[in-house]
Coordinates of all heavy atoms in Angstrom, one line a residue:
M1308 N 6.5 17.4 5.9 CA 6.3 17.0 7.3 C 7.0 15.7 7.5 O 6.7 14.8 6.7 CB 4.9 17.0 7.7 CG 4.6 16.8 9.1 SD 3.0 17.2 9.6 CE 2.9 18.9 9.5
K1309 N 7.8 15.6 8.5 CA 8.5 14.3 8.8 C 7.9 13.7 10.0 O 7.9 14.3 11.1 CB 10.0 14.6 8.9 CG 10.8 13.3 9.1 CD 12.3 13.6 9.0 CE 13.1 12.4 8.9 NZ 13.6 11.6 9.8
V1310 N 7.4 12.4 9.9 CA 6.8 11.7 11.0 C 7.6 10.4 11.2 O 7.8 9.7 10.3 CB 5.3 11.4 10.7 CG1 4.7 10.6 11.8 CG2 4.5 12.7 10.4
K1311 N 7.9 10.2 12.5 CA 8.6 8.9 12.8 C 8.0 8.4 14.1 O 7.7 9.1 15.0 CB 10.1 9.3 13.1 CG 11.0 8.0 13.4 CD 12.4 8.4 13.4 CE 13.3 7.2 13.5 NZ 14.7 7.5 13.4
I1312 N 7.8 7.1 14.0 CA 7.2 6.4 15.2 C 8.2 5.3 15.7 O 8.7 4.5 14.9 CB 5.8 5.8 15.0 CG1 5.2 5.1 16.2 CG2 5.8 4.8 13.8 CD1 3.8 4.7 16.1
Y1313 N 8.5 5.4 17.0 CA 9.3 4.4 17.7 C 8.3 3.4 18.2 O 7.4 3.8 19.0 CB 10.1 5.0 18.7 CG 11.2 6.0 18.2 CD1 10.8 7.4 18.1 CD2 12.4 5.6 17.8 CE1 11.8 8.3 17.6 CE2 13.4 6.5 17.3 CZ 13.0 7.9 17.2 OH 13.9 8.8 16.7
S1314 N 8.4 2.2 17.9 CA 7.4 1.2 18.3 C 8.0 -0.2 18.5 O 9.2 -0.4 18.3 CB 6.3 1.1 17.2 OG 6.9 0.6 16.0
T1315 N 7.1 -1.1 18.9 CA 7.5 -2.6 19.0 C 6.3 -3.3 18.3 O 5.2 -2.8 18.3 CB 7.6 -3.0 20.4 OG1 6.4 -2.9 21.1 CG2 8.8 -2.4 21.1
P1316 N 6.6 -4.5 17.8 CA 5.6 -5.2 17.1 C 4.4 -5.6 17.9 O 3.2 -5.7 17.4 CB 6.3 -6.5 16.6 CG 7.7 -6.2 16.6 CD 7.9 -5.2 17.7
D1317 N 4.5 -5.8 19.2 CA 3.4 -6.3 20.1 C 2.7 -5.2 20.9 O 2.0 -5.4 21.8 CB 3.9 -7.4 21.0 CG 5.1 -6.9 21.9 OD1 5.6 -5.8 21.7 OD2 5.5 -7.7 22.8
C1318 N 3.0 -3.9 20.5 CA 2.4 -2.8 21.2 C 1.1 -2.3 20.5 O 1.0 -1.9 19.4 CB 3.4 -1.6 21.1 SG 2.7 0.0 21.4
P1319 N -0.1 -2.5 21.3 CA -1.4 -2.2 20.7 C -1.5 -0.7 20.3 O -2.1 -0.4 19.3 CB -2.4 -2.6 21.7 CG -1.6 -2.8 23.0 CD -0.2 -3.1 22.6
W1320 N -1.0 0.2 21.2 CA -1.1 1.6 20.9 C -0.2 2.0 19.7 O -0.6 3.0 19.0 CB -0.7 2.4 22.2 CG -1.8 2.2 23.2 CD1 -1.7 1.5 24.3 CD2 -3.1 2.8 23.2 NE1 -2.9 1.5 25.0 CE2 -3.8 2.3 24.3 CE3 -3.8 3.6 22.3 CZ2 -5.1 2.7 24.6 CZ3 -5.1 3.9 22.6 CH2 -5.8 3.5 23.7
C1321 N 0.8 1.3 19.5 CA 1.7 1.5 18.3 C 0.8 1.2 17.0 O 0.8 2.0 16.1 CB 2.9 0.7 18.3 SG 4.0 1.0 19.7
H1322 N 0.1 0.1 17.1 CA -0.7 -0.3 15.9 C -1.8 0.7 15.7 O -2.1 1.1 14.6 CB -1.3 -1.7 16.1 CG -0.3 -2.8 16.0 ND1 0.2 -3.2 14.8 CD2 0.3 -3.6 17.0 CE1 1.1 -4.1 15.0 NE2 1.2 -4.4 16.3
K1323 N -2.4 1.2 16.8 CA -3.5 2.3 16.6 C -2.9 3.5 16.0 O -3.5 4.1 15.1 CB -4.0 2.6 18.0 CG -5.0 1.6 18.6 CD -5.5 2.1 19.9 CE -6.3 1.1 20.7 NZ -7.5 0.6 20.0
A1324 N -1.7 3.9 16.4 CA -1.1 5.1 15.8 C -0.8 4.9 14.3 O -1.1 5.8 13.5 CB 0.2 5.4 16.6
K1325 N -0.2 3.7 14.0 CA 0.1 3.5 12.6 C -1.2 3.4 11.7 O -1.2 3.9 10.6 CB 0.9 2.2 12.5 CG 2.3 2.4 13.0 CD 3.2 1.2 12.8 CE 3.0 0.3 14.0 NZ 4.0 -0.9 14.0
D1326 N -2.2 2.8 12.3 CA -3.5 2.8 11.6 C -4.1 4.2 11.4 O -4.6 4.5 10.3 CB -4.6 2.0 12.3 CG -4.2 0.4 12.3 OD1 -3.4 0.0 11.5 OD2 -4.8 -0.3 13.2
F1327 N -3.9 5.0 12.4 CA -4.3 6.4 12.3 C -3.6 7.1 11.2 O -4.2 7.9 10.4 CB -4.1 7.1 13.7 CG -4.3 8.6 13.7 CD1 -5.5 9.2 13.7 CD2 -3.2 9.4 13.5 CE1 -5.7 10.5 13.7 CE2 -3.3 10.8 13.5 CZ -4.6 11.4 13.6
F1328 N -2.3 6.9 11.1 CA -1.5 7.6 10.0 C -2.0 7.1 8.7 O -2.1 7.9 7.8 CB 0.0 7.3 10.2 CG 0.7 7.9 11.4 CD1 1.7 7.2 12.1 CD2 0.3 9.1 11.9 CE1 2.3 7.8 13.2 CE2 0.9 9.7 13.0 CZ 1.9 9.0 13.7
K1329 N -2.2 5.8 8.5 CA -2.6 5.2 7.3 C -4.0 5.8 6.8 O -4.2 6.1 5.7 CB -2.6 3.7 7.3 CG -1.2 3.1 7.3 CD -1.2 1.6 7.6 CE 0.2 1.1 7.9 NZ 0.2 -0.2 8.5
E1330 N -4.9 5.8 7.8 CA -6.3 6.3 7.5 C -6.2 7.8 7.1 O -7.1 8.2 6.2 CB -7.1 6.2 8.8 CG -7.6 4.8 9.1 CD -8.1 4.7 10.6 OE1 -8.4 5.7 11.2 OE2 -8.2 3.6 11.1
N1331 N -5.3 8.5 7.6 CA -5.2 9.9 7.3 C -4.1 10.2 6.2 O -3.8 11.4 6.0 CB -4.9 10.7 8.5 CG -6.2 10.8 9.4 OD1 -7.1 11.5 9.1 ND2 -6.1 10.0 10.5
K1332 N -3.7 9.1 5.6 CA -2.7 9.2 4.5 C -1.4 10.0 4.9 O -0.9 10.9 4.1 CB -3.3 9.8 3.2 CG -4.4 8.9 2.7 CD -5.1 9.5 1.5 CE -6.2 8.6 0.9 NZ -7.1 8.0 1.8
I1333 N -0.9 9.8 6.1 CA 0.3 10.4 6.6 C 1.4 9.4 6.4 O 1.4 8.3 6.9 CB 0.1 10.8 8.1 CG1 -1.1 11.6 8.4 CG2 1.4 11.3 8.7 CD1 -1.0 13.0 7.9
E1334 N 2.4 9.9 5.7 CA 3.6 9.0 5.5 C 4.4 9.1 6.8 O 4.5 10.1 7.4 CB 4.5 9.5 4.3 CG 3.9 9.2 3.0 CD 4.8 9.6 1.8 OE1 6.0 9.5 2.0 OE2 4.3 9.9 0.8
F1335 N 4.9 7.9 7.2 CA 5.7 7.9 8.4 C 6.9 6.9 8.3 O 6.8 5.9 7.5 CB 4.8 7.5 9.6 CG 4.2 6.2 9.6 CD1 4.8 5.1 10.2 CD2 3.0 6.0 8.9 CE1 4.2 3.8 10.1 CE2 2.4 4.7 8.8 CZ 3.0 3.7 9.5
E1336 N 7.9 7.1 9.1 CA 9.0 6.2 9.2 C 8.8 5.4 10.5 O 8.4 6.0 11.5 CB 10.3 7.0 9.2 CG 11.5 6.2 9.4 CD 12.8 7.0 9.6 OE1 12.8 8.2 9.4 OE2 13.8 6.4 10.1
E1337 N 9.1 4.1 10.5 CA 8.9 3.3 11.7 C 10.3 2.8 12.1 O 11.1 2.4 11.4 CB 8.0 2.1 11.4 CG 7.7 1.3 12.6 CD 6.7 0.2 12.3 OE1 6.2 0.1 11.1 OE2 6.5 -0.6 13.2
A1338 N 10.5 2.9 13.4 CA 11.7 2.4 14.1 C 11.3 1.4 15.1 O 10.7 1.8 16.1 CB 12.5 3.5 14.7
D1339 N 11.7 0.1 14.9 CA 11.3 -0.9 15.8 C 12.4 -1.0 16.9 O 13.5 -1.4 16.6 CB 11.2 -2.3 15.1 CG 10.9 -3.4 16.0 OD1 10.9 -3.3 17.2 OD2 10.5 -4.5 15.4
V1340 N 12.1 -0.5 18.1 CA 13.1 -0.4 19.2 C 13.4 -1.8 19.8 O 14.3 -1.9 20.5 CB 12.7 0.6 20.3 CG1 12.6 2.0 19.7 CG2 11.4 0.3 20.9
S1341 N 12.6 -2.8 19.5 CA 12.9 -4.1 20.0 C 13.9 -4.8 19.1 O 14.6 -5.7 19.5 CB 11.6 -5.0 20.0 OG 11.2 -5.3 18.7
E1342 N 14.1 -4.3 17.9 CA 15.1 -4.9 16.9 C 16.4 -4.1 16.9 O 17.4 -4.6 16.6 CB 14.5 -4.9 15.5 CG 13.4 -5.9 15.3 CD 13.9 -7.3 15.3 OE1 14.9 -7.6 14.6 OE2 13.3 -8.2 16.0
S1343 N 16.3 -2.8 17.1 CA 17.4 -1.9 17.0 C 17.8 -1.2 18.2 O 17.0 -0.3 18.7 CB 17.1 -0.8 15.9 OG 18.0 0.2 15.9
K1344 N 19.0 -1.5 18.8 CA 19.4 -0.8 20.0 C 19.7 0.7 19.7 O 19.5 1.5 20.6 CB 20.7 -1.5 20.5 CG 20.6 -2.8 21.2 CD 21.9 -3.2 21.8 CE 21.7 -4.3 22.8 NZ 21.5 -5.6 22.2
E1345 N 20.1 1.0 18.5 CA 20.4 2.3 18.1 C 19.1 3.2 18.1 O 19.0 4.3 18.6 CB 20.9 2.3 16.7 CG 21.7 3.6 16.3 CD 22.4 3.5 15.0 OE1 23.4 2.8 14.9 OE2 21.9 4.1 14.0
A1346 N 18.0 2.6 17.6 CA 16.7 3.3 17.6 C 16.2 3.5 19.0 O 15.7 4.5 19.3 CB 15.7 2.5 16.8
A1347 N 16.4 2.4 19.8 CA 16.0 2.5 21.2 C 16.7 3.7 21.9 O 16.1 4.5 22.7 CB 16.2 1.2 21.9
K1348 N 18.0 3.7 21.7 CA 18.8 4.8 22.3 C 18.4 6.2 21.9 O 18.3 7.1 22.7 CB 20.3 4.5 22.0 CG 21.3 5.5 22.6 CD 22.7 5.1 22.2 CE 23.7 6.0 22.8 NZ 24.4 6.8 21.9
E1349 N 18.2 6.3 20.6 CA 17.7 7.5 20.0 C 16.4 8.0 20.6 O 16.2 9.1 21.0 CB 17.6 7.3 18.5 CG 17.2 8.6 17.7 CD 17.1 8.3 16.2 OE1 18.2 8.1 15.5 OE2 16.0 8.2 15.7
M1350 N 15.4 7.0 20.7 CA 14.1 7.3 21.3 C 14.3 7.8 22.7 O 13.7 8.8 23.1 CB 13.2 6.1 21.3 CG 11.9 6.3 21.9 SD 10.9 4.8 22.1 CE 11.7 4.1 23.6
I1351 N 15.1 7.1 23.5 CA 15.3 7.5 24.9 C 15.9 8.9 25.1 O 15.5 9.7 25.9 CB 16.1 6.4 25.7 CG1 15.2 5.1 25.8 CG2 16.4 6.9 27.1 CD1 16.0 3.9 26.2
E1352 N 16.9 9.2 24.2 CA 17.5 10.5 24.2 C 16.5 11.6 23.9 O 16.6 12.6 24.5 CB 18.7 10.5 23.2 CG 20.0 9.8 23.7 CD 21.0 9.7 22.6 OE1 20.9 10.3 21.5 OE2 22.1 9.1 22.9
K1353 N 15.7 11.4 22.9 CA 14.7 12.4 22.5 C 13.6 12.6 23.5 O 13.1 13.7 23.7 CB 14.2 12.0 21.1 CG 15.2 12.2 20.0 CD 14.6 11.9 18.7 CE 15.6 12.1 17.5 NZ 15.0 11.8 16.2
S1354 N 13.1 11.5 24.0 CA 11.9 11.5 24.8 C 12.0 11.3 26.3 O 11.1 11.6 27.1 CB 10.9 10.4 24.3 OG 11.4 9.1 24.7
K1355 N 13.2 10.8 26.7 CA 13.5 10.5 28.2 C 12.5 9.4 28.6 O 12.3 9.2 29.8 CB 13.3 11.7 29.1 CG 14.1 12.9 28.6 CD 15.6 12.8 28.7 CE 16.3 14.1 28.3 NZ 16.9 14.1 27.0
Q1356 N 12.0 8.6 27.7 CA 11.0 7.6 27.9 C 11.5 6.2 27.4 O 12.2 6.2 26.4 CB 9.7 7.8 27.3 CG 9.0 9.1 27.7 CD 8.4 9.0 29.1 OE1 7.8 8.0 29.5 NE2 8.7 10.0 29.9
Q1357 N 11.1 5.1 28.0 CA 11.4 3.8 27.5 C 10.2 3.1 26.9 O 10.3 2.1 26.3 CB 12.1 3.0 28.6 CG 13.4 3.5 28.9 CD 14.2 2.5 29.9 OE1 13.8 1.4 30.1 NE2 15.3 3.0 30.4
G1358 N 9.0 3.7 27.2 CA 7.8 3.1 26.7 C 7.5 3.6 25.3 O 7.9 4.6 24.9
V1359 N 6.7 2.7 24.6 CA 6.3 3.1 23.2 C 4.8 3.2 23.2 O 4.1 2.6 24.0 CB 6.8 2.0 22.2 CG1 8.3 2.1 22.0 CG2 6.4 0.6 22.6
P1360 N 4.2 3.9 22.2 CA 4.9 4.6 21.1 C 5.5 5.9 21.5 O 4.9 6.6 22.4 CB 3.8 4.7 20.0 CG 2.6 4.8 20.8 CD 2.8 3.9 22.0
V1361 N 6.5 6.3 20.9 CA 7.0 7.7 20.9 C 6.9 8.1 19.5 O 7.5 7.5 18.6 CB 8.4 7.8 21.5 CG1 9.0 9.2 21.3 CG2 8.5 7.4 22.9
I1362 N 6.2 9.3 19.2 CA 6.0 9.8 17.9 C 6.7 11.1 17.7 O 6.6 12.0 18.6 CB 4.5 9.9 17.6 CG1 3.9 8.5 17.7 CG2 4.3 10.5 16.2 CD1 2.4 8.5 17.9
E1363 N 7.5 11.3 16.7 CA 8.1 12.5 16.4 C 7.6 13.2 15.1 O 7.6 12.5 14.1 CB 9.6 12.3 16.3 CG 10.4 13.6 16.0 CD 11.9 13.4 16.0 OE1 12.4 12.2 15.8 OE2 12.7 14.4 16.0
V1364 N 7.1 14.4 15.3 CA 6.5 15.1 14.1 C 7.3 16.4 14.0 O 7.3 17.3 14.8 CB 5.0 15.4 14.3 CG1 4.5 16.2 13.1 CG2 4.2 14.1 14.5
D1365 N 8.2 16.4 12.9 CA 9.0 17.6 12.7 C 9.7 18.1 14.0 O 9.8 19.2 14.3 CB 8.2 18.8 12.1 CG 7.8 18.5 10.6 OD1 8.5 17.7 10.0 OD2 6.9 19.2 10.2
G1366 N 10.3 17.1 14.7 CA 11.1 17.4 15.9 C 10.3 17.5 17.2 O 10.9 17.6 18.2
K1367 N 8.9 17.6 17.1 CA 8.1 17.6 18.3 C 7.8 16.2 18.7 O 7.4 15.3 17.9 CB 6.8 18.3 18.0 CG 5.8 18.3 19.2 CD 4.6 19.1 18.9 CE 3.5 19.0 19.9 NZ 3.9 19.2 21.3
I1368 N 8.1 15.9 20.0 CA 7.9 14.6 20.6 C 6.6 14.4 21.2 O 6.1 15.3 22.0 CB 9.0 14.3 21.6 CG1 10.4 14.3 21.0 CG2 8.8 12.9 22.3 CD1 10.7 13.3 19.9
I1369 N 5.8 13.4 20.8 CA 4.5 13.0 21.5 C 4.7 11.6 22.0 O 5.1 10.7 21.3 CB 3.4 13.1 20.4 CG1 3.3 14.5 19.9 CG2 2.1 12.6 21.1 CD1 2.4 14.6 18.6
I1370 N 4.5 11.5 23.3 CA 4.6 10.2 24.0 C 3.3 9.6 24.1 O 2.3 10.2 24.7 CB 5.3 10.4 25.4 CG1 6.7 11.0 25.2 CG2 5.3 9.1 26.2 CD1 7.3 11.7 26.4
G1371 N 3.2 8.4 23.6 CA 1.9 7.7 23.5 C 1.1 8.1 22.3 O 1.5 9.0 21.6
F1372 N 0.0 7.4 22.1 CA -0.9 7.7 21.0 C -2.0 8.7 21.5 O -2.9 8.3 22.2 CB -1.6 6.4 20.5 CG -2.6 6.7 19.4 CD1 -2.3 7.4 18.3 CD2 -3.9 6.2 19.5 CE1 -3.2 7.7 17.3 CE2 -4.8 6.5 18.6 CZ -4.5 7.2 17.4
K1373 N -1.7 9.9 21.2 CA -2.7 11.0 21.7 C -3.3 11.6 20.4 O -2.7 12.5 19.7 CB -1.9 12.1 22.4 CG -1.3 11.5 23.7 CD -0.6 12.6 24.5 CE -0.1 12.0 25.8 NZ 1.3 12.5 26.1
E1374 N -4.5 11.0 20.0 CA -5.1 11.3 18.7 C -5.3 12.8 18.6 O -5.0 13.4 17.5 CB -6.4 10.5 18.6 CG -7.0 10.6 17.2 CD -8.1 9.7 17.0 OE1 -8.3 8.7 17.7 OE2 -8.8 9.9 16.0
E1375 N -5.9 13.5 19.6 CA -6.2 14.9 19.4 C -4.9 15.7 19.2 O -4.9 16.6 18.4 CB -7.0 15.4 20.6 CG -8.4 14.8 20.7 CD -9.2 15.0 19.4 OE1 -9.2 16.1 18.8 OE2 -9.8 14.0 19.0
E1376 N -3.9 15.4 20.0 CA -2.6 16.2 19.8 C -2.0 15.9 18.4 O -1.5 16.8 17.8 CB -1.6 15.7 20.9 CG -0.4 16.6 21.0 CD 0.5 16.3 22.2 OE1 0.1 15.6 23.1 OE2 1.6 16.9 22.1
L1377 N -2.1 14.7 18.0 CA -1.6 14.3 16.6 C -2.4 15.1 15.6 O -1.8 15.6 14.6 CB -1.7 12.8 16.4 CG -0.6 12.0 17.1 CD1 -0.9 10.5 17.0 CD2 0.8 12.3 16.4
K1378 N -3.7 15.1 15.7 CA -4.5 15.8 14.7 C -4.1 17.3 14.6 O -4.0 17.9 13.6 CB -6.0 15.7 15.1 CG -6.6 14.4 14.7 CD -8.1 14.4 15.1 CE -8.8 13.1 14.6 NZ -10.2 13.1 15.0
E1379 N -3.9 17.9 15.8 CA -3.5 19.3 15.8 C -2.1 19.5 15.2 O -2.0 20.4 14.3 CB -3.4 19.7 17.3 CG -3.3 21.2 17.5 CD -3.3 21.6 19.0 OE1 -4.2 21.2 19.7 OE2 -2.4 22.3 19.4
V1380 N -1.1 18.7 15.5 CA 0.2 18.8 15.0 C 0.3 18.6 13.5 O 1.0 19.2 12.8 CB 1.2 17.9 15.8 CG1 2.6 17.9 15.1 CG2 1.3 18.3 17.2
L1381 N -0.6 17.6 13.1 CA -0.6 17.2 11.7 C -1.6 18.0 10.9 O -1.7 17.8 9.7 CB -0.9 15.7 11.5 CG 0.2 14.8 12.1 CD1 -0.3 13.3 12.3 CD2 1.5 14.8 11.3
K1382 N -2.3 18.9 11.5 CA -3.3 19.7 10.9 C -4.4 18.9 10.2 O -4.7 19.1 9.0 CB -2.7 20.7 9.9 CG -1.8 21.7 10.6 CD -1.0 22.6 9.7 CE -0.1 23.6 10.4 NZ 0.7 23.1 11.5
I1383 N -4.9 17.9 11.0 CA -6.0 17.1 10.5 C -7.3 17.5 11.1 O -7.3 17.7 12.3 CB -5.8 15.6 10.8 CG1 -4.5 15.1 10.1 CG2 -7.0 14.7 10.5 CD1 -4.0 13.7 10.6
K1384 N -8.3 17.7 10.4 CA -9.6 18.2 10.9 C -10.5 17.0 11.4 O -10.4 16.0 10.8 CB -10.4 19.0 9.9 CG -9.7 20.3 9.6 CD -10.6 21.3 8.9 CE -10.1 22.7 8.8 NZ -8.7 23.0 8.7

């Protein structure tokens, strides 16, 4: 399972999402859209959003930190 989070360092919901991944031992790739114009462009193309976090799980886009939806997609009980 491939998990990627598009985030910024000062985004509280991004930190919540990353903490959630760590608590559930989910490996993830992080793309800081405040540092990388390329990552920001990629995030906007995939999600049609400019706000963070945008989380991609095996090609499925989740906008914002939606714990229940993430649990379902990641098969966490």
Side-chain angles (χ1 to χ4, degrees):
M1308 186 166 292
K1309 187 171 191 272
V1310 178
K1311 184 171 187 175
I1312 180 168
Y1313 296 90
S1314 65
T1315 60
D1317 58 350
C1318 159
W1320 291 105
C1321 300
H1322 289 288
K1323 285 183 189 297
K1325 290 183 274 190
D1326 289 345
F1327 171 81
F1328 294 145
K1329 289 171 190 164
E1330 285 164 17
N1331 289 284
K1332 296 176 179 49
I1333 303 291
E1334 285 187 31
F1335 63 95
E1336 176 188 345
E1337 184 176 358
D1339 181 348
V1340 297
S1341 69
E1342 291 287 316
S1343 169
K1344 282 188 167 77
E1345 199 173 287
K1348 182 176 180 249
E1349 184 179 285
M1350 177 189 82
I1351 293 165
E1352 283 173 4
K1353 289 181 179 183
S1354 70
K1355 312 290 184 255
Q1356 298 289 316
Q1357 293 187 10
V1359 287
V1361 170
I1362 300 164
E1363 182 177 12
V1364 180
D1365 285 342
K1367 178 176 173 46
I1368 299 295
I1369 298 168
I1370 296 162
F1372 174 57
K1373 297 181 178 135
E1374 189 171 344
E1375 291 308 312
E1376 190 174 350
L1377 282 168
K1378 282 182 177 178
E1379 191 177 308
V1380 172
L1381 296 166
K1382 295 172 179 47
I1383 297 169
K1384 293 200 169 25

